Amino acid sequence: MRTFLLRLPVLLALAATAAACTGAEDGESKTIDDESQLLEVVNENRRLEAELAESERRLVEDCLDEQGFTVHDELELLTRWYVAEQEALVEDYPSNFLPDPEVAAEWGFGQWVYSDEGWASGAGDEFNDIVGADIPALDLDNSAFNDLAVAEKQDWYAAYAGEEYAASIGGFSAPAGEDEAAGGSDDGSIVIDPDLQEAVAPGGCLLEMIDALYGEAEPVAATGEAVGTVWSWGPRSPQEEADWDALRESYRVAVIEPETAFLDCVTAGGWGDWEFDRAGSLPISAHFNQIYYPDSEITVVEDGLVVDPGSVPEPPADLPGDLEGQKAYEIGMAEAFLDCAETTGYREDAEAAFRQVQLDLFLSTDEELFAYQDELRAAIANAQEVVKG
């Protein structure tokens, strides 16, 4: 399934979309027996999704080219249609608020680099290069589109997905000397309105592609961390309709003891009274926002919703006021958290529990998963015919 949000396209990570045969002939039983086998299935589906995505993107770009738009927002197109194979069945854990030891020793939780002083020093770029080296967008050259005038960018977005979409993603800033009435940042980038929740219907070349391949787009309730309504088209993975709330609850039940032991260790070390959120993570950023942005309102987000920040510990009263002292505090906390995670076995137990509940979920929907793969292959065949004209 492809989704369409009113804000910048969000790459909805398909944590696992499994559908493949493990060697059986047509008509015979198809089974997936273990995690390694399921990972092979996941990546087969990823390859199919990538093939279908390439056809969708090709049709949209051809449509734009025909209208004279030969310079594209490559980041926008990458975000919507990028599909990559997975190195592991689960790549993002609730326990990922814990940094790697080598990162903790130099960067702490990586929060100080986003302070005004830390960012001005260039630490933010260096940190992002270290922790985000595998993000494909970092290697993408979008300079040609960035150099376009504000009006040209707005026209491209309107042709790409409709006037309503172009308006909903926010204003643009103009380069020096140009009209800045549209608002926006000072670098020509899109400004996102955080209050927007409902997606606009796709239009422009995006709608032409949808009409050609799927007939129509369907409004559906958003899942996961997205909020409101999104528009979907194409084969819909059964994983997107899974009961993720139940999965999360199963995980939290499985980690009650290691979470409790970890928090007891943290409290005993003098690092404050913390509480895990519904997803099994800690509000690390909210805690350090109190330090690096003391005049800002504390915001804690769970599942896309702002919740009561009462569970965020306050910084110590004797915390130094300079960045070096605050950075030392952050590094000390990060290393103490890692020590507690190791001595209590929290990280190992939490990751094992999260893998298991996801594996149990994926293995319980064999028939739906195999049907999804058939749908992908049929959609690819149809898309290739449309592309050929």
Side-chain angles (χ1 to χ4, degrees):
M1 181 193 77
R2 300 294 182 268
T3 56
F4 187 67
L5 300 180
L6 85 171
R7 292 175 283 181
L8 274 177
V10 175
L11 182 59
L12 297 180
L14 301 178
T17 49
C21 175
T22 61
E25 298 295 332
D26 290 343
E28 296 182 16
S29 175
K30 302 175 182 179
T31 59
I32 304 171
D33 299 322
D34 57 34
E35 183 174 337
S36 62
Q37 206 170 61
L38 181 55
L39 181 59
E40 294 178 6
V41 168
V42 167
N43 282 327
E44 171 62 18
N45 275 355
R46 289 277 180 154
R47 287 187 283 272
L48 291 172
E49 289 166 355
E51 190 173 350
L52 180 58
E54 180 59 29
S55 294
E56 290 186 358
R57 174 172 172 160
R58 169 77 178 277
L59 288 171
V60 169
E61 288 188 351
D62 286 350
C63 172
L64 289 167
D65 289 343
E66 289 172 2
Q67 297 180 49
F69 296 97
T70 57
V71 175
H72 305 302
D73 184 345
E74 299 295 340
L75 180 58
E76 170 100 5
L77 298 178
L78 174 80
T79 304
R80 183 173 299 283
W81 281 290
Y82 178 73
V83 181
E85 293 186 23
Q86 295 182 203
E87 295 183 0
L89 177 63
V90 182
E91 296 181 322
D92 188 22
Y93 293 89
S95 57
N96 279 357
F97 64 86
L98 292 169
D100 292 333
E102 59 274 15
V103 172
E106 182 176 0
W107 305 94
F109 293 101
Q111 299 295 308
W112 66 269
V113 304
Y114 299 109
S115 68
D116 291 340
E117 186 178 344
W119 190 263
S121 72
D125 289 333
E126 185 179 354
F127 178 72
N128 286 336
D129 285 342
I130 292 172
V131 300
D134 295 331
I135 300 175
L138 296 180
D139 298 325
L140 182 144
D141 182 5
N142 207 30
S143 57
F145 186 83
N146 291 337
D147 289 341
L148 295 178
V150 173
E152 292 176 304
K153 293 179 182 178
Q154 291 174 316
D155 289 344
W156 185 91
Y157 280 103
Y160 164 64
E163 295 285 354
E164 198 173 357
Y165 178 73
S168 72
I169 59 175
F172 298 85
S173 67
E178 292 190 24
D179 180 16
E180 297 185 352
S185 67
D186 59 2
D187 60 359
S189 61
I190 298 169
V191 174
I192 308 303
D193 184 344
D195 297 325
L196 294 174
Q197 300 294 342
E198 299 301 318
V200 299
C205 289
L206 188 63
L207 181 59
E208 286 193 24
M209 178 274 293
I210 295 169
D211 287 343
L213 297 185
Y214 308 115
E216 62 181 358
E218 175 188 8
V220 298
T223 59
E225 294 186 358
V227 179
T229 300
V230 298
W231 291 80
S232 71
W233 56 88
R236 185 174 176 83
S237 167
Q239 258 45 65
E240 295 181 43
E241 300 176 329
D243 190 345
W244 293 104
D245 285 336
L247 180 145
R248 183 163 39 218
E249 291 171 7
S250 296
Y251 166 72
R252 295 305 308 287
V253 168
V255 293
I256 289 176
E257 291 187 8
E259 282 187 352
T260 300
F262 173 77
L263 293 182
D264 287 346
C265 177
V266 167
T267 301
W271 299 102
D273 296 324
W274 293 78
E275 295 179 16
F276 282 97
D277 61 24
R278 301 179 59 237
S281 187
L282 293 180
I284 299 294
S285 295
H287 174 73
F288 285 101
N289 283 346
Q290 299 172 97
I291 298 173
Y292 302 123
Y293 302 98
D295 297 328
S296 300
E297 181 179 355
I298 301 174
T299 301
V300 179
V301 179
E302 294 182 16
D303 295 336
L305 301 176
V306 177
V307 299
D308 182 1
S311 62
V312 182
E314 295 184 359
D318 60 351
L319 183 69
D322 63 292
L323 180 61
E324 284 304 311
Q326 295 167 350
K327 173 183 171 183
Y329 166 75
E330 180 179 338
I331 290 174
M333 177 185 283
E335 293 184 323
F337 274 38
L338 287 178
D339 286 341
C340 285
E342 181 176 353
T343 58
T344 63
Y346 161 72
R347 184 176 225 166
E348 182 179 352
D349 291 344
E351 290 185 359
F354 197 64
R355 282 198 307 273
Q356 189 60 52
V357 295
Q358 293 220 32
L359 182 63
D360 291 344
L361 173 65
F362 302 146
L363 295 182
S364 68
T365 56
D366 283 15
E367 291 185 8
E368 294 87 347
L369 298 176
F370 294 133
Y372 172 62
Q373 188 174 61
D374 292 339
E375 291 173 3
L376 280 172
R377 287 180 170 141
I380 289 170
N382 177 60
Q384 290 174 341
E385 289 299 318
V386 174
V387 169
K388 291 177 183 177

